[in-house]
Amino acid sequence: MTAHPALIEWPEDPSDAAGLALWTSSEIAQAIGGRASAPFAVSGVEIDSREVVEGDLFFALKGESSDGHRFLEGAYGRGAAGAVVEHAPFGAHVIVPDTMAALEALGRHARARVDAGIIGVTGSAGKTGVKEALYAALDRASRGRAHRSVKSYNNHVGVPLSLARMPASTRFGVFEMGMNHEGELAALTRMVRPHVAIVTTIAPAHIGHFSGEEAIADAKGEIFEGLEPGGVAIIPADSPHFGRLKAKAAQHAARVVAFGRHADADVRLLDAVAASGGGTLVTADLGGRKVCYTIGQPGEHWVANSLAIMAAVEAIGGDLGAAGLALAEMEGLAGRGARHAIPASGGDGSGKALLIDESYNANPASMAVTLRQLGQTPATRRVAILGAMRELGAEEARYHAELAGPVAEGKVDRLILVGAEMAALADALGKSGSASLAGRIDVAHVQTAADAAECLAADGVRGGDALLVKGSNSVGLGAIVRSLAAREQ
């Protein structure tokens, strides 16, 4: 049999000749100013000894209540090839005066050694989904050479860790950056040094640490301070804080791109219609060029997110076609929209119910959007377990009470409120029987996630139910999701 020649030959790339190791001990020592005990090479970087896999480099970080040096034996036992330490253990290591400073140094070195297009993402909501969609789009179009921060590693530890994990051959990097205090993003963005910086939206998340939404907008705008020369800032045109963000971006960006429905948006929504399976068919104008694509995830917020994604892909020189495919195939993330079909009895007799997992985070804006989407979700009965929204400051009671409107839009039949802060919403809904909604919604108010699980079990999950679980991560509603999802069909 005659062999057929290859139909496609990938162009040669200098990085193809790069070593397979993520880091060698000599590279690590040079980057962080340490001293290696012996030659070794690593394929990953980890700070949690429980998550170490064979070949990892373990950083023994010191925290307020723990010291990573206590877990070195466990890290080596799980296959760590080496560790970064402040005092010598029995295994291969690089010794430094300060392991946290060393992690930051390794992250900065990783950023400096790549010839890659870097995107930074922040915002009060949507940043993890935008980061994941961008990664999927850019990885598809770069022979698997995209890198991103995993989970929600977006703080002063997660960002340098994500950078340190970036291979030298990376072509695109996408990094999520979060904050809950002024000045935090400024430090992170100067470490990431993005070519494109995105603010997804401004909402009263962590507002307890700020004087108001304007201060949150200013803090989110710090992401532009780290832009590389010639960098692009991408901001929401429909935000009431657009002018504030634009003024901040203009100080640091060579170009500011606005996305949204507003007539003056540079990346503008032209049309959005419901697609089969709960998604949306979008037509957008990218500055004189129209594109049409499907979003697999339901919700108006994903329409806005998709415009930011398209703007970023174009700005970084990516493939818009790959971005459209990534959006069509995007699935819900654990704690942020993942959907599960779980067994159920009674109800419509289907034997199945829909579980919507939004248990990782909550603020007034994301609560409203998610409840509105619940109201558009086909179901014979809609059940919502809503946990308290944390870090809302002096206006905490008002923000919770104002969820009464979104609950009505969500067409909720059964409502379980969790946490002391939710008393304001229970009162607003007329738990005493005085409000107009009280007659239709079955409301229960409990203090803990365990109480909520018992309350749900007493009533049961019925066939045809749509069950939404959403709250701040500290409320612990993820345990309810894990228990129910374990029965997924």
Side-chain angles (χ1 to χ4, degrees):
M1 180 181 292
T2 303
H4 292 284
L7 297 177
I8 298 176
E9 293 289 346
W10 286 105
E12 291 188 7
D13 191 308
S15 64
D16 290 339
L20 296 179
L22 178 63
W23 297 101
T24 65
S25 54
S26 60
E27 290 170 336
I28 296 165
Q30 181 178 6
I32 66 179
R35 185 177 71 254
S37 65
F40 61 88
V42 301
S43 54
V45 182
E46 188 53 73
I47 60 173
D48 186 338
S49 65
R50 297 166 298 183
E51 297 188 11
V52 166
V53 298
E54 188 171 355
D56 275 351
L57 173 69
F58 174 65
F59 270 82
L61 300 182
K62 290 182 176 180
E64 293 182 1
S65 59
S66 64
D67 183 349
H69 293 81
R70 293 170 46 208
F71 307 104
L72 280 165
E73 184 175 354
Y76 285 124
R78 289 179 175 84
V84 176
V85 297
E86 295 178 12
H87 46 79
F90 57 84
H93 62 271
V94 176
I95 193 164
V96 294
D98 184 329
T99 51
M100 185 62 226
L103 178 60
E104 293 172 353
L106 191 62
R108 285 191 293 268
H109 191 81
R111 172 64 183 90
R113 73 175 179 172
V114 297
D115 180 17
I118 304 295
I119 301 175
V121 184
T122 194
S124 300
K127 53 186 176 290
T128 300
V130 167
K131 177 254 300 181
E132 289 294 325
L134 281 170
Y135 167 76
L138 297 170
D139 197 56
R140 181 189 291 268
S142 64
R143 299 170 59 190
R145 294 190 176 183
H147 175 77
R148 93 290 204 188
S149 47
V150 299
K151 300 180 182 178
S152 287
Y153 286 179
N154 60 18
N155 63 8
H156 69 288
V157 176
V159 169
L161 174 63
S162 298
L163 285 166
R165 290 171 167 176
M166 181 165 55
S169 60
T170 297
R171 286 290 166 262
F172 296 102
V174 189
F175 295 91
E176 178 181 338
M177 287 176 270
M179 63 89 205
N180 54 25
H181 289 86
E182 179 184 356
E184 290 178 337
L185 265 180
L188 297 178
T189 190
R190 288 189 173 95
M191 195 177 299
V192 172
R193 292 168 37 220
H195 299 97
V196 177
I198 304 169
V199 174
T200 59
T201 189
I202 301 297
H206 310 297
I207 199 167
H209 300 300
F210 296 92
S211 60
E213 281 194 26
E214 294 83 0
I216 292 176
D218 290 341
K220 294 295 185 185
E222 291 173 12
I223 193 173
F224 306 129
E225 296 178 14
L227 275 169
E228 289 286 88
V232 179
I234 298 176
I235 59 177
D238 304 316
S239 171
H241 308 289
F242 171 74
R244 204 176 192 95
L245 289 170
K246 184 177 181 180
K248 177 68 173 180
Q251 297 174 26
H252 306 280
R255 184 160 63 99
V256 180
V257 177
F259 68 91
R261 298 174 180 267
H262 196 279
D264 295 332
D266 303 289
V267 175
R268 182 166 61 94
L269 179 68
L270 298 177
D271 194 24
V273 297
S276 60
T280 308
L281 180 64
V282 172
T283 304
D285 182 350
L286 273 64
R289 178 166 48 143
K290 292 182 181 179
V291 295
C292 187
Y293 53 90
T294 298
I295 305 170
Q297 284 295 294
E300 293 180 11
H301 58 298
W302 264 108
V303 175
N305 287 347
S306 76
L307 299 175
I309 290 160
M310 287 296 183
V313 169
E314 185 173 55
I316 206 70
D319 187 326
L320 291 174
L325 291 172
L327 286 166
E329 297 172 358
M330 188 81 179
E331 296 182 350
L333 306 172
R336 294 182 171 88
R339 294 187 165 212
H340 306 271
I342 61 174
S345 58
D348 66 359
S350 65
K352 293 188 297 182
L354 172 65
L355 170 63
I356 305 170
D357 176 16
E358 289 275 0
S359 61
Y360 187 80
N361 208 351
N363 60 56
S366 66
M367 277 282 201
V369 167
T370 307
L371 283 164
R372 190 177 302 119
Q373 183 57 40
L374 177 64
Q376 299 170 6
T377 302
T380 56
R381 187 178 70 144
R382 295 177 180 86
V383 181
I385 301 177
L386 303 182
M389 302 179 292
R390 299 280 161 80
E391 298 183 359
L392 294 181
E395 296 296 307
E396 173 185 280
R398 176 175 66 83
Y399 284 120
H400 283 85
E402 287 176 351
L403 291 180
V407 166
E409 289 185 78
K411 302 175 184 176
V412 177
D413 301 292
R414 171 76 167 135
L415 180 63
I416 303 174
L417 304 175
V418 189
E421 300 92 331
M422 276 294 181
L425 177 55
D427 291 340
L429 289 172
K431 190 164 180 282
S432 62
S434 60
S436 60
L437 291 174
R440 187 173 66 79
I441 302 179
D442 179 9
V443 181
H445 179 211
V446 298
Q447 295 302 309
T448 68
D451 295 336
E454 290 182 9
C455 193
L456 180 66
D459 187 48
V461 179
R462 306 174 191 172
D465 280 357
L467 171 60
L468 168 66
V469 182
K470 185 170 181 63
S472 291
N473 190 44
S474 59
V475 180
L477 299 184
I480 295 176
V481 171
R482 289 190 292 272
S483 176
L484 293 171
R487 302 181 294 178
E488 185 173 7
Q489 295 178 330

